[in-house]
Amino acid sequence: MISYLEFEKPVASLEERIAQLRGLDTNHAVDVKAEIERLEAKSSELLASTYASLTPWQKTQVARHPQRPHFRDYVEHAFTDFLPLGGDRYFGEDMAIMGGFAKLDGRRIMLIGHEKGHDTKTRIAHNFGMGKPEGYRKAIRLMEMAGRFGLPVVTLVDTSGAFPGVEAEERGQAEAIARSTEACLSLGVPLVAAVVGEGGSGGAVALASAERVLMMEHAVYSVISPEGCASILWRTADKAPEAAQAMKITAQHLKRLKVIDRIVKEPLGGAHRDPGKAARALGTALGEELEALSGLESEELIRRREERFLALNGDGAV
């Protein structure tokens, strides 16, 4: 069963009617096949027109969809031979940030990313994708390991932000995020990042400071959530839609601002409608980016990252 967002209610009504018709007795006197085909065509047309004109706030809702694919789904559909590695060798394991060796189209890589979970139990286990210091220090450890073995690194970003709890601050959250960002920028092997859902604040940048940054078509990427921005500017989260519009958080806005390099198209109706297809599309795009970067010397990769981020100061991008 698909969970429908508020703006998808007209589509939900059509698809509910289609499901009802399909459930009729095949021996029913009325031939419903033609009616089902008509409604399916109408539903697809309505879904396409709806998703072609999403507002930034609606895209935020799609990026947060409870059935949207996360790290484990991308591992299942786009990568092979995933060997998870755990622990930061300082404090412990953080399930919000996962990583390990994997293969992408036969190419050995180091894969790191946020995992939000898919139901109440797993969301709690993965802390809703909000990394703690040990998670970012694990990411640093894995990036350094990739550097030693000469393996390219792929990161999948999907977090509302780093965990803001007291215990995280006590263990050096800000320092861990800064060190992870530094590790990205100084990495001597290719690094390609993809924002697959939410890219929130420093918790996202810590894994996305790459020479090539991709975004899924309906992902969002910003320094603060729309609700957080609205609470600061208007003292109410009710202004989140206005904040999302002003912040330029969509893939389309960020591509024009040159904050990201490439948009990966999602299946009609969002990645949650066909996680396998979405994952395979991302895998293809990541493979192409890694191929383009293969053969570059470490100094060139580091220079490209440096130039990329220093350039984000004159076109309205921050």
Side-chain angles (χ1 to χ4, degrees):
M1 290 289 294
I2 295 175
S3 297
Y4 293 95
L5 299 170
E6 183 67 25
F7 63 84
E8 294 178 309
K9 282 188 174 180
V11 177
S13 298
L14 283 173
E15 294 189 346
E16 182 180 358
R17 177 57 179 160
I18 292 169
Q20 289 173 347
L21 290 175
R22 283 178 174 159
L24 290 177
D25 189 341
T26 55
N27 295 321
H28 198 277
V30 179
D31 183 5
V32 297
K33 183 178 179 181
E35 179 64 7
I36 289 176
E37 291 177 351
R38 186 186 71 81
L39 290 176
E40 285 179 334
K42 185 176 180 180
S43 175
S44 295
E45 182 180 339
L46 181 57
L47 192 63
S49 63
T50 298
Y51 271 77
S53 58
L54 294 181
T55 67
W57 176 239
Q58 289 170 334
K59 280 186 176 285
T60 302
Q61 293 174 286
V62 176
R64 296 171 175 172
H65 195 285
Q67 294 170 317
R68 191 171 179 86
H70 300 305
F71 182 86
R72 287 184 179 274
D73 300 295
Y74 286 102
V75 167
E76 178 183 354
H77 295 290
F79 302 90
T80 59
D81 299 328
F82 179 62
L83 177 64
L85 300 172
D88 66 344
R89 304 299 189 264
Y90 289 96
F91 179 81
E93 171 67 326
D94 178 15
M95 292 297 291
I97 297 177
M98 302 183 68
F101 296 114
K103 285 185 179 180
L104 176 61
D105 292 330
R107 184 194 303 270
R108 295 179 63 222
I109 65 167
M110 181 68 76
L111 180 63
I112 306 170
H114 299 95
E115 171 59 54
K116 286 184 172 182
H118 62 273
D119 56 24
T120 301
K121 182 178 180 180
T122 56
R123 284 171 188 147
I124 292 173
H126 293 285
N127 200 33
F128 300 86
M130 296 185 292
K132 298 177 181 179
E134 48 272 24
Y136 291 102
R137 291 181 176 126
K138 173 171 65 176
I140 295 169
R141 183 173 75 83
L142 298 187
M143 283 188 272
E144 290 176 345
M145 183 183 297
R148 289 196 298 272
F149 289 119
L151 298 178
V153 177
V154 170
T155 61
L156 305 182
V157 177
D158 189 11
T159 181
S160 58
F163 184 61
V166 172
E167 65 270 32
E169 298 298 333
E170 289 175 342
R171 295 198 293 273
Q173 182 71 292
E175 186 266 350
I177 290 172
R179 294 288 186 187
S180 184
T181 305
E182 180 186 38
C184 289
L185 294 173
S186 61
L187 193 61
V189 294
L191 170 59
V192 179
V195 181
V196 297
E198 286 186 278
S201 192
V205 174
L207 296 186
S209 298
E211 61 266 29
R212 297 291 292 177
V213 180
L214 286 59
M215 279 184 73
M216 297 300 288
E217 182 181 5
H218 302 305
V220 294
Y221 189 20
S222 63
V223 70
I224 191 172
S225 70
E227 297 93 331
C229 177
S231 296
I232 293 172
L233 295 181
W234 292 287
R235 305 295 188 216
T236 173
D238 293 340
K239 292 285 188 178
E242 289 87 341
Q245 182 68 45
M247 289 163 61
K248 304 291 189 289
I249 64 177
T250 70
Q252 294 72 27
H253 280 130
L254 296 172
K255 178 70 164 56
R256 288 195 292 270
L257 293 171
K258 300 180 181 180
V259 174
I260 67 164
D261 304 292
R262 179 171 177 174
I263 298 173
V264 180
K265 190 172 179 59
E266 298 186 20
L268 179 61
H272 57 279
R273 281 186 170 256
D274 194 339
K277 184 177 180 179
R280 289 188 291 273
L282 179 62
T284 297
L286 290 169
E288 292 171 354
E289 297 296 339
L290 289 176
E291 182 62 30
L293 295 171
S294 64
L296 295 180
E297 297 293 333
S298 297
E299 294 78 9
E300 175 64 14
L301 293 168
I302 294 171
R303 184 188 66 80
R304 288 192 180 195
R305 285 183 212 126
E306 180 179 342
E307 290 181 349
R308 170 195 178 81
F309 288 96
L310 289 176
L312 297 180
N313 59 13
D315 297 322
V318 178

